[in-house]
Amino acid sequence: MRAIQFTEYGPPNVVHVVEMEAPNAGRNEVRIAVRASGVSPGEMRIRSGALRDVVPMTFPYRTGFDAAGVVDQVGDGVTGVAMGDEVFGMTSPVARGANADFAVLTAWAPKPAGWSWEEAGGTAGSVETATRVLDRLSVGVGHTVLVQGAAGGVGTIAVQLAVARGATVIGTASRHNHDFLRSLGAEPTTYGAGLVERIRAMAPAGVDAVFDCAGGSLPDLVAIAGGTARVVTIADLDAAAHGVHLSHGAPADKTSAAVRALADPLALHGLTDAVRLAGEGRLRVPIAAAFPLTEAAAAHELSESRHARGKIVLVH
């Protein structure tokens, strides 16, 4: 089968296609013939070497965390799914390897009928991440939530999940994305200078939680939230210096005890919630671009530009 990997830290062009033997499903796993898979922004930082102290690795590194496809192998202990079923889900955080013709999933859910393969292939990781952070912030009915970087792959999902929980959502994005954010249920504003004053004008009673998907603005976000306890980032590697929690689900056998202690449990229940919301027409997956598997380096380049609106996927 074809698979995407890199064998050294570096720019997008270190990513390449290799031929390798297809993996087999183990106990409590399924294997899928992949139709589409997601390009993870977090893997841009892994590939560049920015996370080498958080996620140490041995090369080669196989990319891809979420995928959608047709079940073609069912491991021991698996119930409720059969050969030929259409599913979306996630690989093991250790093995990864979803950007390939076949992938082994450790968590999955039925593919919603209303989603294309591209939408389903890029969803699971964003849903898990958004659910994990919203759970940590205890976002619920009547809360006001600021999503910083709301037009990206995780931000678009976070906006919709927070709205579905009954929250009022303010989302930051470039001005040309403001109508798009309104279509997702958020009140938009721009990021950058004057953010604190803009948010205070939009939410005079204050903001209950801040979900940072962009990085680089933690002092302002802490000021908006009135302290560090109600701010969680998935993007700012300087979080600790600002007293802010950096949410990640570090694999147990790839990180130090100190890093594992700070990791959040994976919010796998978010996949089931996503299926329900999709069926109710309350969750859609904006796709920024879809690239052939052979153009994975170009997909990484677009992701690294941080100008993509929605999710970037590879199609197989």
Side-chain angles (χ1 to χ4, degrees):
M1 70 168 191
R2 298 171 302 166
I4 304 301
Q5 68 178 33
F6 56 90
T7 57
E8 60 181 326
Y9 295 121
N13 63 13
V14 302
V15 174
H16 57 279
V17 181
V18 297
E19 289 286 340
M20 63 183 302
E21 186 175 345
N24 292 309
R27 184 169 182 80
N28 298 323
E29 298 174 338
V30 301
R31 188 179 75 179
I32 61 171
V34 177
R35 297 292 184 264
S37 60
V39 175
S40 166
E43 286 190 330
M44 304 305 105
R45 295 190 289 274
I46 292 173
R47 190 209 66 238
S48 72
L51 294 182
R52 69 181 71 197
D53 294 331
V54 178
V55 188
M57 70 179 75
T58 55
F59 294 115
Y61 181 93
R62 290 188 55 207
T63 66
F65 184 53
D66 46 12
V70 178
V71 175
D72 81 330
Q73 197 177 83
V74 179
D76 291 342
V78 173
T79 60
V81 67
M83 300 274 286
D85 285 355
E86 297 181 349
V87 301
F88 74 105
M90 299 185 296
T91 66
S92 158
V94 176
R96 295 191 176 251
N99 299 147
D101 288 325
F102 293 90
V104 171
L105 304 183
T106 56
W108 61 87
K111 173 185 169 290
W115 284 358
S116 67
W117 283 118
E118 289 83 359
E119 290 168 321
T123 300
S126 295
V127 164
E128 186 281 321
T129 300
T131 302
R132 178 183 355 120
V133 174
L134 294 175
D135 283 355
R136 184 179 179 93
L137 290 167
S138 301
V139 171
V141 176
H143 291 163
T144 297
V145 181
L146 170 63
V147 178
Q148 172 83 335
V154 175
T156 54
I157 299 299
V159 166
Q160 295 175 86
L161 294 185
V163 169
R165 293 180 180 213
T168 296
V169 181
I170 299 171
T172 67
S174 299
R175 192 170 298 279
H176 71 275
N177 283 323
H178 284 191
D179 286 343
F180 168 67
L181 290 187
R182 291 188 185 97
S183 76
L184 299 181
E187 282 299 316
T189 189
T190 53
Y191 45 77
L195 179 63
V196 175
E197 292 73 24
R198 288 194 298 278
I199 298 302
R200 286 175 178 167
M202 296 174 74
V207 167
D208 298 291
V210 176
F211 185 167
D212 175 32
C213 302
S217 300
L218 287 182
D220 281 351
L221 300 183
V222 170
I224 288 166
T228 60
R230 304 297 297 163
V231 181
V232 173
T233 183
I234 60 170
D236 200 316
L237 300 182
D238 292 326
H242 298 280
V244 170
H245 180 70
L246 173 64
S247 184
H248 61 86
D253 62 346
K254 290 286 186 178
T255 55
S256 68
V259 171
R260 290 198 302 272
L262 296 174
D264 295 329
L266 294 178
L268 300 179
H269 59 280
L271 302 185
T272 302
D273 293 341
V275 173
R276 173 179 57 81
L277 292 172
E280 296 170 355
R282 294 199 289 162
L283 182 63
R284 58 191 178 95
V285 186
I287 299 297
F291 292 84
L293 186 67
T294 53
E295 296 181 16
H300 274 235
E301 186 174 358
L302 176 59
S303 179
E304 203 164 68
S305 76
R306 304 182 71 177
H307 294 309
R309 186 172 81 178
K311 188 71 177 185
I312 300 169
V313 297
L314 300 175
V315 292
H316 302 243

